[in-house]
Amino acid sequence: MNIWDKIKKIIIYREPPEENIFELINQNEPKSAPGQVGYPRVSREPDTRPEQAQRQAGDLPEQASSGKQEQSADGREAQSQDRTKTRFQNRHKPRSENKAKAKLREGTEASALVEKERPAKEGPKRRRGDRREKIRPVRASAWTREKIINAREQSLEDLEDLEVSVDLPENIARLKTIFYLPDNKDVIIREFGLGIDGRIKAAAVFIDGLTDKQLQNLSVFQPLMLLSNIEHNEAGENIEKLVEHHLLPSNQVESKTKFRDAVDGILMGNTAIFVDRVPRVFVVETKGWEHRQVEKPLAEMVIRGSQEAFTETLRINTGLIRKTLKSPNLVTEIIKVGKLGQMDCAIMYMKGITNPELVREVKRRIESLQIDYVQDSGVLEQMIEDNPFGIMPQMLVTERPDRVASLLVEGRVAIILDSNPFVLVVPTNIFGLLHSAEDTNLKWPYGSFLRLIRVLAAIVSLLLPGFYLALTNYHQEMLPTDLLMSIAGSRETVPFPSIVEMLIMEVSFELIREASVRMPGPMGPTIGIVGALILGQAAVSAAIVSPIMIIVVAVTAIGSFVIPSYFLSFSLRISRFGYLLLGFTLGFVGLAMGIFLQLILMVRLKSFGVPFLAPVGPRTSSGSDLVLRSPAWQQELRPEFINPLQIRRQPKISRQWIKRIPSGGGGE
Amino acid sequence: MIKEGHIGPAEAMVLIMTMITAKVFLSFPQVMVEVGKTAGWLVIIVSGVGGLLGFSVLIQLLKRFPQLNIIAIGEEVAGPVVGLVSALAYAGFFYVWFIITVREFAELVITTTLPEAPLSVVLLMLISTSLAAAYFGLENIARTAHVLYPFLFFSLGFILVLLIPFWKGDYLFPLLGSGPREIIKTGLLKSANFSEVFFLTLILPSLGNWRKLQSIGFKPYLLL
């Protein structure tokens, strides 16, 4: 290429040369992020972890040296020297090719060196198309600092790519670094020999307290140690098949190649088995931790209906739903949430009914979370809700499997977090929050009646105090004269304006309510007595409040207890104070303004893209299960606002037997 | 199917209907009686027809420029200067309309519910509420209107029914009041009573196209 060509190329069209790709990527990276100052491309030194691993791996064979290692030691050294050479040559080839080759090698030969150096070379940060890395200088002090800060994180990141080695001691050394052994006393590494002669070494790794000891002894150790019959010269592949297919009589055995899977399995209470000369890990199901049994629901009790509630174990919870809703279309997907402490989060939906867009959105939101640890579904809810500043709850929280099942068949998605007895169901709307599990189980007049009562309760608990203040302060003409006189008479001795009176009562009621939740069980009855004194006769006799005020506050409180969703009740309780002030300052007009504003805020809210007031604003066909319930045989359509794939849930005539009714006394 | 950033035809219709019917509670009936005497109701019908005529002219205009709102059309047709002037005129119209309505509404509030409240407080309350509503956007306002209108119309009907004892049929006579010519004249002059329909032309892009707008614009008349 002559000079002119070069110039032309620069001026006219600059194709990014290979080595520039990395620079381009670097430019795009945020420079301020401390974790990314350039650790991976600073130097080619292997980082501390693999060093440690090497050291330990180097130590270990001495302790646990076997005939096999002595045999192959020489050959392996020669091989690894060759390998180093080829790897040096490969360095300038695309990385993927390199990796593919390494993979090929793995299966056939034992090369500990390759395994050891790989994490240092192929940290996840180097993967982004860095064909030829550029070495850039960075201050030594900064580099050390970064390294210390990121040591643990990187070890976890490295874990993503780390593959199980064929060499048992090396695997054990890795595990020791990963789990910080021997400091960490929970993780047990049990080394043993396969078969009666015990020539082939193996190790079982598990966490004490999470596993079922009996199950482990019977279905893992006994068959492997006592009942197996393995020739000592068996090749790696054969051992692998033997162990997986014949020697582990457990209901779930997974054969994996990545360390990540092994570590996750161990943390879940499974037992990971590493066998020498086999580049795989067998994760055997041995979960058996202590957990609460399935009990009666605490927050959502019903008279007619199932009396089971979720518990703290994910698998029991998914099982409860599946037990209620027996369908092959019911799909459970599991996503891991949390970087530091991983939690399993199950997403359940009905294939063929639930809109795939909805499922995708739920998964997208949960998968995108960059959070250390999710301790509760409440935290998950806050992390994935549409409008975190909206006061209304945007997800339905339930502890009843039957309720989840009935919502799933409507085309919704259930989100179940491990160690959590409350399940989130999305999308929901305000009407869903006012429904209870029992409504559907009752005949339609009863169900409708209950729902009307609940709507009334919601209105009362939101507006009654404000309404009362507006009425007595501004619109006395609306009250019958006698009532007005009696109200005025009862307030005669009270020295405060009515708003102060109301605030005293409301605040003391909130205090009592909070106290009754926080108080230790044995002291529970005390709060009733104290509460009755504060909110009762004593307050009236002391002329602090008027009797009618007590009635208003009590009815409001009962109203807020009627609302089935504890969280909706919360939002109404808080909004109530706003209405109180509005009613006191501007009368009915103020209340109207408040309602208008709250309505506009509610119209804005969305639950996973579905408007919160959905079947009403915007109006869609709602089915006949909104406030009033129609009979079960008339509920032919699923709610349209959640866009299910099949809108019809039962045919026009769902009670096929009525066709058979003989007309006019005659037969057919 | 729920669409984002979009006002459904029903919602827009309800919005306009709410804007027009709200006047029933303002000074509107009194003004009508004043100009139309016993034939005030006829004046309303005539002015409704007048409004319709004006609106159909507008529709013809919008037909030519699909997907443009009235201000964009102004600029397209008459160039930036005249377009700007017409846009300002339009804005001015709505500004004045808003001021008058708010003032009337505030006075209504004072006369009916809060006789001792200062006008400024009531005005402040009304304006701040509408500001908040405007901040949340037209879509939300339209949806809220859609949620509220059953209550609104139910209560309107309720008021009308409860007022039956006060209905006096003989007040309708003489039927033509101060004469047909007078009725038509004042009716057409007062057709601005229904000028809220022009509001639709501003929000055209969020509605879809003129065809929808046409039906949205005409239906309220038939319903009222």
Side-chain angles (χ1 to χ4, degrees):
Chain A
M1 195 187 282
N2 60 29
I3 295 172
W4 173 239
D5 275 347
K6 277 185 185 170
I7 293 172
K8 212 163 73 176
K9 217 162 193 188
I10 290 167
I11 296 173
I12 297 170
Y13 172 61
R14 179 182 290 195
E15 201 167 33
E18 285 229 313
E19 58 237 31
N20 275 359
I21 293 173
F22 194 62
E23 275 183 17
L24 285 171
I25 292 168
N26 280 346
Q27 282 163 9
N28 291 338
E29 278 175 13
K31 284 190 177 152
S32 56
Q36 309 204 340
V37 173
Y39 148 68
R41 56 198 112 88
V42 171
S43 79
R44 293 186 177 281
E45 288 172 42
D47 69 353
T48 45
R49 285 183 53 77
E51 268 174 21
Q52 211 178 342
Q54 269 175 345
R55 201 183 57 239
Q56 292 188 353
D59 292 342
L60 273 160
E62 287 169 23
Q63 298 160 7
S65 66
S66 63
K68 178 215 80 182
Q69 263 153 357
E70 279 158 28
Q71 278 170 31
S72 61
D74 291 353
R76 196 184 288 175
E77 219 165 77
Q79 276 175 358
S80 65
Q81 273 175 3
D82 284 349
R83 189 103 324 109
T84 333
K85 262 188 204 169
T86 47
R87 212 166 2 75
F88 184 74
Q89 287 157 3
N90 285 346
R91 205 169 264 178
H92 300 282
K93 285 185 183 173
R95 195 193 141 275
S96 55
E97 192 186 328
N98 225 343
K99 196 181 172 187
K101 281 200 172 179
K103 262 194 176 171
L104 263 177
R105 266 181 242 131
E106 246 174 43
T108 50
E109 299 162 295
S111 82
L113 201 65
V114 175
E115 286 295 323
K116 276 171 203 160
E117 285 196 3
R118 197 191 292 162
K121 270 195 71 200
E122 301 175 351
K125 284 182 183 165
R126 289 189 199 182
R127 297 174 64 191
R128 308 171 192 160
D130 45 338
R131 311 216 166 156
R132 281 173 217 174
E133 294 175 13
K134 267 204 166 176
I135 302 173
R136 285 188 184 170
V138 164
R139 275 174 195 277
S141 56
W143 180 70
T144 336
R145 199 174 56 236
E146 292 312 320
K147 227 168 154 163
I148 294 168
I149 292 169
N150 293 330
R152 181 66 188 157
E153 253 174 50
Q154 267 151 16
S155 75
L156 286 173
E157 279 175 21
D158 285 346
L159 204 59
E160 299 291 341
D161 267 4
L162 205 57
E163 301 213 348
V164 176
S165 157
V166 283
D167 193 26
L168 180 66
E170 193 200 332
N171 284 334
I172 291 177
R174 278 262 157 75
L175 282 169
K176 284 188 172 172
T177 9
I178 290 168
F179 284 115
Y180 295 106
L181 289 172
D183 297 345
N184 193 349
K185 299 287 184 293
D186 282 346
V187 181
I188 312 285
I189 300 183
R190 167 84 164 86
E191 292 180 53
F192 57 95
L194 275 191
I196 300 167
D197 57 354
R199 292 239 177 136
I200 299 167
K201 297 286 168 200
V205 188
F206 56 92
I207 293 180
D208 198 13
L210 288 187
T211 54
D212 184 337
K213 292 190 182 75
Q214 264 197 315
L215 188 70
Q216 271 182 316
N217 293 345
L218 279 175
S219 72
V220 180
F221 294 116
Q222 197 176 345
L224 286 177
M225 293 163 79
L226 303 175
L227 308 177
S228 60
N229 185 18
I230 299 180
E231 299 285 324
H232 73 269
N233 55 0
E234 204 86 69
E237 236 174 89
N238 283 351
I239 300 177
E240 183 186 324
K241 279 184 188 156
L242 258 173
V243 172
E244 190 182 353
H245 296 301
H246 299 288
L247 294 180
L248 286 173
S250 171
N251 70 345
Q252 280 179 44
V253 178
E254 286 176 332
S255 166
K256 301 277 190 185
T257 56
K258 299 259 179 194
F259 253 94
R260 174 94 251 176
D261 299 320
V263 170
D264 287 346
I266 293 166
L267 291 174
M268 289 291 298
N270 294 329
T271 305
I273 293 167
F274 294 87
V275 180
D276 202 15
R277 288 195 249 163
V278 176
R280 293 188 154 265
V281 54
F282 306 100
V283 182
V284 188
E285 145 83 43
T286 52
K287 294 185 191 87
W289 56 78
E290 289 303 316
H291 57 83
R292 192 165 62 101
Q293 292 303 310
V294 175
E295 286 168 12
K296 277 192 170 187
L298 284 174
E300 286 175 273
M301 281 180 288
V302 297
I303 292 169
R304 180 157 186 187
S306 142
Q307 301 291 342
E308 277 177 341
F310 289 119
T311 165
E312 276 82 5
T313 313
L314 180 73
R315 276 314 182 184
I316 294 181
N317 291 350
T318 53
L320 283 173
I321 296 174
R322 209 167 261 287
K323 181 185 74 120
T324 322
L325 183 61
K326 296 182 184 72
S327 163
N329 289 7
L330 179 60
V331 177
T332 310
E333 289 190 36
I334 291 193
I335 299 176
K336 295 211 183 295
V337 199
K339 275 165 72 185
L340 209 58
Q342 284 207 333
M343 277 279 212
D344 275 348
C345 176
I347 293 170
M348 291 183 100
Y349 58 93
M350 296 293 286
K351 264 249 153 68
I353 292 174
T354 312
N355 195 316
E357 285 292 324
L358 176 64
V359 180
R360 202 172 305 141
E361 179 63 18
V362 172
K363 273 158 66 182
R364 189 182 71 89
R365 288 195 194 174
I366 296 177
E367 275 165 359
S368 73
L369 290 185
Q370 294 288 324
I371 181 172
D372 262 6
Y373 174 58
V374 186
Q375 71 265 36
D376 191 89
S377 62
V379 178
L380 188 68
E381 181 185 348
Q382 291 172 53
M383 297 294 285
I384 60 174
E385 68 189 346
D386 292 57
N387 195 336
F389 294 105
I391 196 168
M392 292 281 173
Q394 291 149 50
M395 284 173 214
L396 193 108
V397 182
T398 178
E399 53 170 350
R400 301 183 56 87
D402 59 336
R403 184 129 196 243
V404 173
S406 74
L407 292 169
L408 283 177
V409 288
E410 280 186 352
R412 296 177 212 251
V413 177
I415 303 167
I416 310 157
L417 195 67
D418 197 6
S419 314
N420 216 291
F422 288 96
V423 170
L424 307 172
V425 183
V426 293
T428 189
N429 57 357
I430 186 149
F431 302 101
L433 293 171
L434 283 172
H435 292 177
S436 100
E438 200 171 4
D439 301 349
T440 30
N441 304 345
L442 297 174
K443 269 169 75 70
W444 65 270
Y446 318 158
S448 302
F449 176 71
L450 283 183
R451 284 198 185 160
L452 281 178
I453 291 285
R454 256 180 245 134
V455 170
L456 182 74
I459 294 172
V460 160
S461 83
L462 184 67
L463 292 177
L464 187 64
F467 187 79
Y468 173 77
L469 286 184
L471 203 63
T472 50
N473 281 297
Y474 293 97
H475 313 287
Q476 299 91 347
E477 70 278 0
M478 282 179 73
L479 291 170
T481 317
D482 292 343
L483 180 61
L484 193 65
M485 297 304 269
S486 90
I487 291 177
S490 69
R491 290 209 63 235
E492 211 176 352
T493 50
V494 180
F496 306 117
S498 54
I499 177 87
V500 175
E501 219 183 326
M502 182 67 89
L503 281 176
I504 290 174
M505 290 303 286
E506 284 286 342
V507 169
S508 47
F509 175 69
E510 293 295 328
L511 284 177
I512 291 171
R513 191 203 303 246
E514 182 61 13
S516 62
V517 178
R518 301 288 153 237
M519 272 226 306
M523 290 162 75
T526 336
I527 200 75
I529 299 163
V530 177
L533 284 178
I534 293 178
L535 288 179
Q537 199 55 40
V540 175
S541 348
I544 293 174
V545 290
S546 57
I548 193 139
M549 193 66 90
I550 290 182
I551 297 175
V552 169
V553 171
V555 172
T556 313
I558 293 170
S560 74
F561 287 136
V562 170
I563 297 166
S565 163
Y566 179 63
F567 312 96
L568 181 65
S569 162
F570 245 121
S571 75
L572 295 185
R573 257 161 74 190
I574 295 170
S575 317
R576 182 199 301 157
F577 284 93
Y579 283 102
L580 223 133
L581 293 177
L582 278 176
F584 180 70
T585 47
L586 290 165
F588 281 167
V589 184
L591 289 183
M593 292 291 135
I595 292 171
F596 175 69
L597 275 183
Q598 183 148 34
L599 209 60
I600 226 174
L601 283 170
M602 264 157 64
V603 162
R604 263 179 95 222
L605 274 190
K606 290 202 169 68
S607 167
F608 277 78
V610 173
F612 190 61
L613 288 177
V616 174
R619 198 149 300 195
T620 60
S621 88
S622 58
S624 44
D625 189 17
L626 208 58
V627 175
L628 294 178
R629 264 180 53 75
S630 57
W633 46 267
Q634 272 184 6
Q635 304 208 356
E636 288 147 10
L637 302 179
R638 297 194 169 85
E640 193 199 342
F641 56 89
I642 44 181
N643 276 336
L645 294 183
Q646 298 171 23
I647 187 82
R648 182 164 283 279
R649 70 169 126 198
Q650 58 199 30
K652 191 89 184 149
I653 298 174
S654 51
R655 299 176 302 163
Q656 296 285 327
W657 56 269
I658 55 170
K659 281 181 177 172
R660 297 242 187 118
I661 288 180
S663 53
E668 281 181 19
Chain B
M1 188 71 201
I2 293 157
K3 282 181 199 158
E4 290 290 318
H6 210 267
I7 299 173
E11 282 162 3
M13 216 171 84
V14 166
L15 197 63
I16 298 301
M17 275 166 74
T18 320
M19 284 164 101
I20 295 174
T21 36
K23 283 189 183 161
V24 173
F25 294 102
L26 303 180
S27 57
F28 175 72
Q30 187 236 330
V31 172
M32 281 300 120
V33 169
E34 204 176 297
V35 294
K37 305 291 182 290
T38 56
W41 59 280
L42 271 176
V43 174
I44 295 172
I45 292 174
V46 170
S47 63
V49 172
L52 268 185
L53 287 177
F55 187 64
S56 32
V57 172
L58 258 181
I59 286 290
Q60 292 305 316
L61 178 65
L62 293 171
K63 234 189 243 183
R64 291 205 169 187
F65 303 93
Q67 299 305 328
L68 284 183
N69 70 15
I70 191 79
I71 290 175
I73 293 175
E75 261 180 40
E76 189 97 333
V77 171
V81 179
V82 184
L84 184 72
V85 171
S86 81
L88 281 179
Y90 232 79
F93 166 74
F94 281 106
Y95 186 62
V96 171
W97 175 79
F98 176 73
I99 289 173
I100 292 172
T101 316
V102 168
R103 175 65 194 241
E104 278 186 28
F105 213 89
E107 277 168 3
L108 176 85
V109 166
I110 288 172
T111 44
T112 54
T113 53
L114 300 172
E116 282 163 41
L119 181 67
S120 57
V121 170
V122 179
L123 275 178
L124 197 72
M125 179 191 70
L126 287 174
I127 291 174
S128 57
T129 316
S130 17
L131 258 182
Y135 173 77
F136 293 131
L138 191 64
E139 191 191 353
N140 292 317
I141 296 177
R143 284 192 180 165
T144 314
H146 201 211
V147 173
L148 283 178
Y149 93 88
F151 299 97
L152 211 82
F153 280 80
F154 176 73
S155 38
L156 196 64
F158 197 59
I159 290 173
L160 284 180
V161 170
L162 288 187
L163 287 179
I164 284 178
F166 297 95
W167 286 11
K168 294 205 172 77
D170 50 337
Y171 279 22
L172 287 175
F173 297 99
L175 268 176
L176 289 179
S178 37
R181 183 185 286 185
E182 195 70 9
I183 289 172
I184 291 173
K185 200 179 113 196
T186 47
L188 287 181
L189 279 178
K190 292 275 169 190
S191 57
N193 283 321
F194 292 90
S195 58
E196 282 82 2
V197 149
F198 292 141
F199 176 69
L200 281 178
T201 56
L202 272 179
I203 56 170
L204 179 67
S206 50
L207 285 173
N209 54 14
W210 64 269
R211 218 176 273 282
K212 271 188 196 162
L213 185 127
Q214 201 170 19
S215 62
I216 295 164
F218 286 125
K219 273 183 195 162
Y221 288 104
L222 301 176
L223 281 173
L224 288 179

